[in-house]
Amino acid sequence: MKKSGTLLWACWLTLSFGCARVTEKDVNRRNAQGAEPSRSGQGTNGSGDATVQADLSPLVLQLAKNSELAPADFFKNISGISKIKEDQIILFGKNGKSWVYGSTPDQPPKVLEPSVVGGEGAQLFTLPESEFWLVKADEVGRRKAGSVEQGSITIERFSTAALQGNREKMRVLYAGVNDLILDLETSIAILSIREGQALLNQFDTSKLPVDLGGSIRAAGRGQNDSFWFAAGDQIAIVESKSEVFSWKKSKIPMPGFEDYTHLALWIDPAAKQVLGDSLMLQGEKIWSVSGAPLAAAPAAP
């Protein structure tokens, strides 16, 4: 599946570090002034390069320890879960806070406080080391690389005008340090930052080279700059080689857990394995391979 070119624009806005507010006025003024476009690539659909491979290693999940001690509104606050590295899983909260799950096997998730406050209608996805994504229907933003300096953060913004599908119902499937995967009902978009350049790849979900047998419910990154999309236990693995997308369909056995809300994995396509810990939100329960605690154990009497 050959890539073709498109353009994104980017602009920069410097804010005070701490709890800086991004206002609509600032956004509109930047749009009116315009900005130089950055180069990008756009994925296209068609027959593509698609194969079927053997099942991946199965998920053997257990309930996160001390789940019953989590605050009553904790599960309702979760807006997404992403595995941003082979050894790092992030739970995103609707309130802008995030949690690093399982970084210390016997301790509850580490809280990540937001460094900025999004404007009206913006979703904030807080990442480690002051990284973040701000997502709105008309634009997305992130901390510009190396911009935390002398008490300020510079936000790099990208228009969503080039995105296909329903931007008003845009849903974040994955938020990593340099990648954002968006579901726009009829298409999937991947915004990636590589060597300072913004790369946009998007796919019409009705024309994907592989049939997952249902709507895409989860997505993420993997080894060697690969991506994956999941519908239940069916997985599409996408790799980019020599400007061509290669698609593989596989299955990840997870008996009894196919009906999930969020799923976080790190896949090695070559080894056909799911690496390290994995995490799943199913109803109001968090399941993982490690079973790392969701809350601190009660103090001994």
Side-chain angles (χ1 to χ4, degrees), residues 17-89:
F17 186 77
C19 200
R21 181 169 295 278
V22 183
T23 67
E24 194 66 30
K25 181 178 179 182
D26 289 330
V27 173
N28 288 338
R29 184 166 66 249
R30 292 284 173 167
N31 285 349
Q33 292 174 348
E36 293 183 4
S38 56
R39 296 184 62 186
S40 175
Q42 181 180 14
T44 57
N45 290 289
S47 59
D49 175 12
T51 59
V52 177
Q53 67 175 26
D55 291 357
L56 299 175
S57 52
L59 284 185
V60 180
L61 301 170
Q62 57 182 314
L63 189 65
K65 296 181 181 68
N66 305 330
S67 292
E68 71 281 3
L69 302 176
D73 60 351
F74 178 78
F75 297 99
K76 294 180 180 178
N77 182 44
I78 295 176
S79 62
I81 302 172
S82 295
K83 188 163 185 180
I84 64 172
K85 296 179 181 178
E86 184 179 337
D87 59 354
Q88 198 165 58
I89 297 175

Side-chain angles (χ1 to χ4, degrees), residues 139-159:
E139 66 177 15
V140 298
R142 68 190 291 268
R143 181 176 73 84
K144 193 173 186 295
S147 69
V148 179
E149 183 179 355
Q150 297 182 346
S152 67
I153 293 177
T154 301
I155 294 181
E156 186 176 22
R157 299 179 176 280
F158 303 93
S159 170

Side-chain angles (χ1 to χ4, degrees), residues 87-154:
D87 59 354
Q88 198 165 58
I89 297 175
I90 309 296
L91 293 89
F92 299 104
K94 295 175 184 177
N95 59 3
K97 292 184 179 181
S98 294
W99 295 264
V100 183
Y101 177 81
S103 56
T104 304
D106 298 323
Q107 297 296 321
K110 176 184 176 182
V111 179
L112 299 176
E113 296 288 347
S115 55
V116 297
V117 176
E120 184 178 354
Q123 291 180 276
L124 175 60
F125 295 83
T126 298
L127 293 159
E129 300 181 5
S130 299
E131 303 282 357
F132 58 85
W133 286 96
L134 282 166
V135 180
K136 296 177 64 176
D138 60 346
E139 66 177 15
V140 298
R142 68 190 291 268
R143 181 176 73 84
K144 193 173 186 295
S147 69
V148 179
E149 183 179 355
Q150 297 182 346
S152 67
I153 293 177
T154 301

Side-chain angles (χ1 to χ4, degrees), residues 221-255:
R221 277 283 315 276
Q223 296 290 82
N224 301 320
D225 216 17
S226 61
F227 296 93
W228 59 265
F229 305 98
D233 61 0
Q234 301 298 307
I235 299 280
I237 300 172
V238 186
E239 297 179 88
S240 178
K241 299 178 181 178
S242 302
E243 299 298 314
V244 175
F245 284 109
S246 173
W247 291 74
K248 294 182 176 65
K249 180 181 177 180
S250 188
K251 179 180 178 180
I252 177 168
M254 53 176 81

